[in-house]
Amino acid sequence: MAFIYYGQGVSSLYDDFVERLMSQLALRGTEITHQNIGDASSRMDVRHTGEEGHMEITVDRENVRVSYTVDRERKEVKKGIAGAIAGAGLGGLLGGIVRGDRDVSDVIGGALGGAAAGGAYGAYDGYESSREDRTAFAEVLAQAVKDVEDELQSIIEGQEEAREALRERGRQKREEDAARTEELRELLEELYGDLLAVQEEVEIAAAEGLDVKKSRTRTDRAETLYLEAEAALDDGNHAIVKAKAKAARAMVDGARELLDAAE
């Protein structure tokens, strides 16, 4: 008889599931042999309190499927059909004869057939004890699968929380970068306006015959720095933008001071 259990939503951690399940079963007194561990399917033999069987662990979409098949050791067959009839089948045999509701040959034939077919009337120390052990291990396996599922679900939830935190930090960084970009763009616009004003003043002073060579040198340099800062802003290099803008501002202020001194 096969027992099937599912680890819900943990197939992404299949390798971890197999390892943890084997550890859980070992801690519960299960002997595991003939392990064949694969990427999506694993098989092994298990033995627990005298019961033996085969277990298969496979990926089933988003779940992990655990199938366990018990091997029954039918000791009653070794004791012979006569022993089977003399055992648990004897009460049913005598009852049928005493009540007179069935022919003696039919009752004996049915008992023999049942015993030979699978020990339905056989010795309880074989079939029945195996059935009890099997049920007990099925419960052990079910609890182990559930425990592993809970552990992995906690890990998956933790991973999702970590991913969400990373997404949130990424969103915040994008917002901060956008705000910083806008701030620097406004800074450059103000710088460019001041640069144009000084350049106009230099041209007016030159037309009036004043010596504006040094002032023009500074405004030319300021314009170059401004263009470099604007390119850095397009590349998202905020540190360079700030440095270039600061240097350009110094050139603009220096050009204006020279003009004031020349007047």
Side-chain angles (χ1 to χ4, degrees):
M1 184 174 183
F3 296 86
I4 299 174
Y5 305 100
Y6 285 88
Q8 300 289 334
V10 296
S11 61
S12 61
L13 297 176
Y14 173 78
D15 292 340
D16 204 0
F17 182 95
V18 174
E19 180 179 346
R20 288 171 181 263
L21 181 60
M22 292 173 62
S23 296
Q24 287 279 356
L25 293 177
L27 290 173
R28 288 168 165 81
T30 305
E31 178 184 354
I32 302 175
T33 57
H34 304 111
Q35 304 167 24
N36 184 6
I37 309 299
D39 294 334
S41 180
S42 302
R43 295 174 177 81
M44 60 200 70
D45 294 337
V46 292
R47 180 181 179 88
H48 183 81
T49 61
E51 176 189 355
E52 297 181 5
H54 309 285
M55 192 164 66
E56 183 176 8
I57 310 171
T58 58
V59 171
D60 187 350
R61 290 175 292 185
E62 72 277 9
N63 308 316
V64 176
R65 181 178 185 269
V66 181
S67 176
Y68 168 68
T69 304
V70 66
D71 286 340
R72 303 175 185 173
E73 184 180 1
R74 296 179 177 176
K75 298 179 181 179
E76 68 279 3
V77 176
K78 300 178 182 178
K79 299 183 178 182
I81 293 177
I85 295 176
L90 184 59
L93 175 64
L94 294 178
I97 296 174
V98 170
R99 289 193 302 270
D101 54 358
R102 297 177 62 191
D103 184 82
V104 174
S105 62
D106 292 338
V107 174
I108 295 176
L112 288 173
Y121 301 86
Y124 280 88
D125 63 341
Y127 178 79
E128 289 296 330
S129 63
S130 175
R131 182 171 63 84
E132 292 172 359
D133 290 342
R134 181 197 65 208
T135 301
F137 179 68
E139 295 174 356
V140 167
L141 179 59
Q143 187 58 55
V145 170
K146 180 59 178 174
D147 289 347
V148 172
E149 176 190 313
D150 291 343
E151 292 174 5
L152 296 185
Q153 286 288 3
S154 296
I155 292 175
I156 291 173
E157 289 175 6
Q159 291 174 339
E160 180 57 32
E161 290 175 359
R163 285 192 291 269
E164 180 58 32
L166 285 174
R167 287 192 291 268
E168 178 61 22
R169 284 197 293 270
R171 184 187 63 79
Q172 291 178 354
K173 186 177 185 304
R174 288 190 298 272
E175 291 180 352
E176 291 171 358
D177 288 346
R180 183 59 174 160
T181 297
E182 184 61 27
E183 178 184 346
L184 291 173
R185 194 176 302 281
E186 292 176 359
L187 176 66
L188 289 181
E189 289 176 355
E190 181 181 357
L191 172 63
Y192 187 62
D194 291 344
L195 174 59
L196 287 177
V198 173
Q199 285 175 330
E200 287 296 324
E201 292 176 12
V202 168
E203 295 306 320
I204 293 173
E208 294 174 350
L210 298 176
D211 183 5
V212 295
K213 182 178 180 181
K214 291 182 178 180
S215 295
R216 183 176 282 119
T217 298
R218 282 168 172 74
T219 56
D220 289 347
R221 182 58 183 159
E223 185 174 4
T224 299
L225 288 168
Y226 165 79
L227 294 174
E228 291 174 351
E230 193 174 48
L233 184 62
D234 291 338
D235 293 337
N237 196 332
H238 293 169
I240 296 297
V241 175
K242 188 173 182 179
K244 296 287 185 180
K246 183 178 181 180
R249 170 61 64 184
M251 291 295 101
V252 170
D253 293 343
R256 179 173 282 115
E257 290 174 1
L258 287 171
L259 283 176
D260 292 341
E263 292 179 351

